[in-house]
Amino acid sequence: MWSKERHKRILALLESSQHVSANDLPKLLGVSRETVRRDLLELEETGLIDRVHGGAVLRTSKTEAPFEKRRDAQAGAKQSIARKAVSLVEPGMSILVDAGTTTAAFGHALSKLSNFTLITNSVEITQVLKAAEADIEVFLLGGQIVSDVPATYGELTLSEIRRFKVDLAIISPVALSASEGAFSYALKEAEVAKTMLGQASRRVFLCDRTKLGETNRVQICEANQVDMLVTDGKALPEQIAPFEENGIPVLI
């Protein structure tokens, strides 16, 4: 079977079932796992599918805007969230922070503090804190820069995260549901966030009101792993209530 025929078959399977398993495709197509991996990469590059953990899905309308455009969205809310979140940082703490537009604002707010250790995959946060004239120990995680987000990703990043045990993990998902947990758009970002959560004593999520009560493509964690939500003052009571009802403290 030629590659074009395999691609058509994969797309037909996705049209009928919305998800295909990378484990099942080699048998269905009569090819090796490596051939399937290349096919999925090629289809993703054309914009027809998105690879997810264990397989692939058709690309949906829940797309993610470029990083610089996302930075401008809800900018005031993100700055407000960042100012509240830094109140959680105490002298001597160690913190894991993932890369995102909200955590970038948090990084700028952090630059006014001192006497803490920060580990991040965000190039921007690293640069901001190293430029601050303060007693801050900063670690930039190794890995690959593979998208428009100025951050490192991949197996090297994940293995380096596992070397640390920290007081706080500060995560900025693209969606957060009180019942279904936290979500990211990209698998690589979800993997980094999930691994950071596993190394922290306390897990804090920074989300503006547009992300609350929503889900997205890749789950980062279940709702019971959310120790605190920090959001902006314009979040509606009906958005906040489900978190409080589930015993999740909300800082507004």
Side-chain angles (χ1 to χ4, degrees), residues 81-102:
I81 290 168
R83 289 192 296 269
K84 295 164 191 166
V86 294
S87 68
L88 303 173
V89 179
E90 300 175 1
M93 272 189 169
S94 55
I95 312 164
L96 276 163
V97 181
D98 73 345
T101 55
T102 307

Side-chain angles (χ1 to χ4, degrees), residues 10 22 32 46 51 60 70 87 97 105 119 141 151 156 162 168 174 179 185 193 197 201 206 208 219 237 239:
I10 292 169
S32 67
T46 66
R51 290 182 302 144
T60 69
R70 283 184 278 133
S87 68
V97 181
I119 306 105
L141 297 160
L156 177 58
R162 296 186 187 105
L168 289 177
V174 301
S179 59
Y185 178 78
L197 294 175
S201 298
L206 312 185
D208 67 67
Q219 188 182 50
Q239 292 179 295

Side-chain angles (χ1 to χ4, degrees), residues 147-184:
S147 67
D148 65 326
V149 181
T152 55
Y153 297 100
E155 287 301 322
L156 177 58
T157 312
L158 302 181
S159 67
E160 290 198 351
I161 292 169
R162 296 186 187 105
R163 298 176 68 182
F164 296 93
K165 284 291 184 182
V166 302
D167 300 296
L168 289 177
I170 306 291
I171 304 298
S172 58
V174 301
L176 184 66
S177 162
S179 59
E180 298 186 61
F183 293 81
S184 182

Side-chain angles (χ1 to χ4, degrees), residues 76-242:
K78 291 171 183 175
Q79 291 167 7
S80 173
I81 290 168
R83 289 192 296 269
K84 295 164 191 166
V86 294
S87 68
L88 303 173
V89 179
E90 300 175 1
M93 272 189 169
S94 55
I95 312 164
L96 276 163
V97 181
D98 73 345
T101 55
T102 307
T103 45
F106 175 68
H108 283 271
L110 272 178
S111 67
K112 299 176 175 61
L113 304 183
S114 62
N115 187 20
F116 64 90
T117 299
L118 183 133
I119 306 105
T120 184
N121 67 321
S122 168
V123 175
E124 179 178 350
I125 293 174
T126 303
Q127 292 172 331
V128 167
L129 294 184
K130 289 306 294 181
E133 296 182 2
D135 177 20
I136 305 171
E137 188 175 25
V138 183
F139 293 88
L140 175 62
L141 297 160
Q144 290 182 301
I145 297 178
V146 294
S147 67
D148 65 326
V149 181
T152 55
Y153 297 100
E155 287 301 322
L156 177 58
T157 312
L158 302 181
S159 67
E160 290 198 351
I161 292 169
R162 296 186 187 105
R163 298 176 68 182
F164 296 93
K165 284 291 184 182
V166 302
D167 300 296
L168 289 177
I170 306 291
I171 304 298
S172 58
V174 301
L176 184 66
S177 162
S179 59
E180 298 186 61
F183 293 81
S184 182
Y185 178 78
L187 177 61
K188 65 182 185 299
E189 295 173 2
E191 288 176 332
V192 166
K194 181 177 182 177
T195 307
M196 287 183 172
L197 294 175
Q199 303 304 112
S201 298
R202 193 179 184 198
R203 299 156 294 199
V204 179
F205 291 76
L206 312 185
C207 297
D208 67 67
R209 62 191 178 281
T210 66
K211 301 175 181 179
L212 301 181
E214 300 292 326
T215 62
N216 209 281
R217 295 175 61 246
V218 188
Q219 188 182 50
I220 296 170
C221 69
E222 300 284 352
N224 61 9
Q225 290 185 278
V226 179
D227 293 327
M228 174 174 279
L229 163 64
V230 184
T231 190
D232 63 282
K234 292 185 179 179
L236 299 173
E238 54 265 35
Q239 292 179 295
I240 301 300

